[in-house]
Amino acid sequence: MIKVRRIRCSSFAMAGSEAKKPVAKQSGGKKKEVKKETGLGLTHRKAENFGEWYSEVVVNAEMIEYYDISGCYILRPWSMAIWEIMQEFFDPEIKKMKIKNCYFPLFVSPGVLQKEKDHVEGFAPEVAWVTKSGESELEIPIAIRPTSETVMYPYYSKWIRGHRDLPLKLNQWCNVVRWEFSNPTPFIRSREFLWQEGHTAFATKEEADAEVLDILELYRRIYEEYLAVPVIKGKKSEMEKFAGGLYTTSVEAFIPNTGRGIQGATSHCLGQNFAKMFEINFENDKGEKAMVWQNSWAYSTRTIGVMVMVHGDDKGLVLPPKVASVQVIVIPVPYKDADTQGIFDAVSATVNTLSEAGIRADSDFRDNYSPGWKYSHWEMKGVPLRIEIGPKDLANKQVRAVRRDNGAKIDIASAELVVEIKKLLGDIQQNLFDVAKQKRDECIQVIHTWDEFVQALNQRKMILAPWCDEEEVEADVKARTKGEMGAAKTLCSPFDQPELLEGTKCFASGKPATKWTYWGRSY
């Protein structure tokens, strides 16, 4: 389990392109002290102390700052930019599906929260309550939403009357609060987090089923195409499904360093359970009374934490180019007696050329830091590509590009700058995914017996096992594997099922197996 501690780190002035091009200073004045020591290195290694390493990275890379309330974090611009880029992809995609944005209040009355028994029992330990106004006790406490089913559905009942009111498809971008937990971890497990939550209602189960998978595919694309993190699409077990829902699908990631799965995003079919509780009925085209079929689905800022865990290294954050707010950082490397102004001009021209081509580029002209310090700073922040321009580069009409993912150095002719940089950014994006998938796949182990399961679990594997799909058996596996590292549980049953040979037995019960399921410890 990740242990998080507060870390003090020196603050850096944010670099950025200046409105004016810098002017090289004339010699003769008092020389400005240039800092050469980086002081930026991580004190923990990813392979040796993952929890402390993660805590350092998210702070030193200027993604979060700790807040004075436990489990709450300040999301700094470097991480908010990633969230906004994912939103810029997802929001237009759901609008193509005729889903509209809305906003419902943060507060929930006890009456509606407690209307759906299984749902409220699933969330009860995490619900935060407002009990006072100033110095006065509230006559009726007000809950803060842990999710919005019970907030929204009384109004779905009001708005849906006939089949022409369907489908009703709404989404909101908001925050939620889930209070009761231990081991808070930035992005992964926090008391308040940002997410989108979609809530839809249909006349038929077939429509609801289709949307569940359409949304799940968008979540896969966020992880694989944007965050370069491989995920497995599948269905949750009855024990692990959304409280009060009919079934839950998810995309599951895996963190090789800790041997833990992590639920990346979920798309639930709620069936007609909430429709029954909240009386969301309609008159169908035959004039008959019917109940709607509902879905809910969400992804959150947890996505950012998964990306950090998968790609980060001992130099800090590693950002996939698609979600990096700065894809290319351009750094001048002047030497004694060099044409400093010419180098500065070349840096500004390079940034302008890349920016005009749609590449997110920036420069670092700070004169109180050495080039080496700047290299370490931007490596810590995970910028995918660094461009260095020194006297030789100026003379040869070229730039030197350095990749963050593998450290490779490439000289690029200035005339071919845009084409080559775009190609490099594409290569980095693909390489990050390929390397992450290779590491993930090396951790997957297929087993058939309990002894093989225990051995694989102790080796921190993501386990694919034949299972009889019975809740009692899953509960028994949890009980038998409970320990300091946490119990094993089902992660998902993949949609892409391997062949299940006739006569295959469940690894845990010895009963006939009905499916292949991923198991492991998880966040």
Side-chain angles (χ1 to χ4, degrees), residues 40-57:
L40 297 176
L42 300 174
T43 58
H44 295 92
R45 298 176 71 86
K46 186 177 184 180
E48 294 170 2
N49 192 332
F50 185 85
E52 298 289 359
W53 166 86
Y54 178 80
S55 298
E56 278 194 285
V57 168

Side-chain angles (χ1 to χ4, degrees), residues 5-74:
R5 67 185 178 90
R6 183 166 183 137
I7 297 196
R8 293 181 64 86
C9 65
S10 57
S11 59
F12 321 120
M14 283 298 295
S17 298
E18 306 198 21
K20 294 181 181 178
K21 285 190 283 187
V23 178
K25 292 181 180 176
Q26 302 297 318
S27 58
K30 187 177 178 183
K31 194 171 182 181
K32 195 164 189 175
E33 182 185 351
V34 175
K35 297 180 183 177
K36 294 183 180 179
E37 319 78 28
T38 68
L40 297 176
L42 300 174
T43 58
H44 295 92
R45 298 176 71 86
K46 186 177 184 180
E48 294 170 2
N49 192 332
F50 185 85
E52 298 289 359
W53 166 86
Y54 178 80
S55 298
E56 278 194 285
V57 168
V58 294
V59 172
N60 289 7
E62 300 176 335
M63 298 192 79
I64 66 111
E65 183 57 78
Y66 285 88
Y67 195 57
D68 63 357
I69 296 175
S70 175
C72 297
Y73 308 98
I74 299 165

Side-chain angles (χ1 to χ4, degrees), residues 438-482:
Q438 181 184 349
K439 289 179 180 177
R440 193 277 312 271
D441 290 350
E442 288 170 356
C443 292
I444 294 175
Q445 189 158 329
V446 179
I447 65 97
H448 292 84
T449 68
W450 178 257
D451 288 344
E452 290 175 347
F453 178 83
V454 172
Q455 184 179 17
L457 191 65
N458 291 336
Q459 293 171 347
R460 298 184 173 186
K461 300 292 186 181
M462 187 180 193
I463 302 163
L464 185 59
W467 181 41
C468 60
D469 195 16
E470 293 183 9
E471 282 190 64
E472 304 78 37
V473 174
E474 181 174 3
D476 184 57
V477 171
K478 279 188 173 182
R480 291 165 72 183
T481 57
K482 194 173 183 180

Side-chain angles (χ1 to χ4, degrees), residues 2 46 50-51 53-54 188 223 229-231 252-264 302-312 436 439-441 443-444 459-462 485 491 521-523:
I2 287 185
K46 186 177 184 180
F50 185 85
W53 166 86
Y54 178 80
I188 301 298
Y223 273 97
V229 171
V231 292
E252 300 286 331
F254 189 76
I255 312 300
N257 288 79
T258 61
R260 291 183 183 275
I262 185 160
Q263 181 176 283
R302 167 178 279 207
T303 50
I304 300 172
V306 175
M307 177 204 70
V308 175
M309 289 180 166
V310 169
H311 299 309
K439 289 179 180 177
R440 193 277 312 271
D441 290 350
C443 292
I444 294 175
Q459 293 171 347
R460 298 184 173 186
K461 300 292 186 181
M462 187 180 193
M485 295 288 290
L491 303 176
R521 295 190 175 97
S522 72
Y523 286 96

Side-chain angles (χ1 to χ4, degrees), residues 365-386:
F365 284 118
R366 291 175 293 178
D367 59 2
N368 59 326
Y369 293 108
S370 68
W373 192 97
K374 295 175 185 178
Y375 298 168
S376 296
H377 173 72
W378 293 107
E379 284 174 349
M380 177 68 75
K381 290 176 72 68
V383 172
L385 203 57
R386 179 175 80 240

Side-chain angles (χ1 to χ4, degrees), residues 163-377:
H163 63 92
R164 292 182 182 85
D165 299 322
L166 294 171
L168 177 59
K169 301 195 280 188
L170 301 179
N171 174 71
Q172 65 174 357
W173 296 91
C174 63
N175 62 338
V176 288
V177 174
R178 297 182 183 177
W179 201 259
E180 183 60 41
F181 62 82
S182 56
N183 299 306
T185 304
F187 299 114
I188 301 298
R189 195 171 174 84
S190 57
R191 284 187 164 146
E192 180 191 10
F193 55 88
L194 302 180
W195 73 351
Q196 61 69 217
E197 53 175 326
H199 295 270
T200 52
F202 300 91
T204 66
K205 183 174 185 294
E206 289 73 21
E207 291 173 283
D209 287 338
E211 187 202 60
V212 165
L213 298 182
D214 289 342
I215 292 294
L216 197 68
E217 173 60 12
L218 292 181
Y219 292 153
R220 181 203 67 79
R221 290 182 63 190
I222 285 172
Y223 273 97
E224 296 196 342
E225 295 179 15
Y226 282 78
L227 301 173
V229 171
V231 292
I232 293 166
K233 294 200 292 186
K235 186 177 179 181
K236 289 287 193 181
S237 69
E238 285 296 302
M239 186 174 285
E240 293 295 324
K241 75 178 183 180
F242 183 71
L246 181 61
Y247 66 86
T248 291
T249 67
S250 66
V251 289
E252 300 286 331
F254 189 76
I255 312 300
N257 288 79
T258 61
R260 291 183 183 275
I262 185 160
Q263 181 176 283
T266 49
S267 183
H268 316 286
C269 179
L270 302 179
Q272 294 181 307
N273 191 27
F274 286 89
K276 183 178 181 182
M277 293 299 109
F278 290 93
E279 299 179 357
I280 311 175
N281 303 312
F282 71 102
E283 188 178 278
N284 64 23
D285 54 3
K286 297 176 184 175
E288 301 164 336
K289 186 179 180 181
M291 284 191 298
V292 300
W293 292 84
Q294 290 178 269
N295 293 338
S296 69
W297 28 270
Y299 80 93
S300 74
T301 39
R302 167 178 279 207
T303 50
I304 300 172
V306 175
M307 177 204 70
V308 175
M309 289 180 166
V310 169
H311 299 309
D313 61 19
D314 290 339
K315 290 182 177 181
L317 189 63
V318 179
L319 290 175
K322 275 196 172 183
V323 294
S325 58
V326 177
Q327 296 171 315
V328 181
I329 185 70
V330 188
I331 298 175
V333 190
Y335 290 99
K336 190 177 180 182
D337 301 324
D339 178 7
T340 304
Q341 189 61 52
I343 292 171
F344 286 170
D345 291 344
V347 167
S348 296
T350 298
V351 170
N352 290 339
T353 299
L354 294 175
S355 298
E356 287 169 5
I359 296 166
R360 297 188 287 274
D362 210 340
S363 54
D364 189 344
F365 284 118
R366 291 175 293 178
D367 59 2
N368 59 326
Y369 293 108
S370 68
W373 192 97
K374 295 175 185 178
Y375 298 168
S376 296
H377 173 72

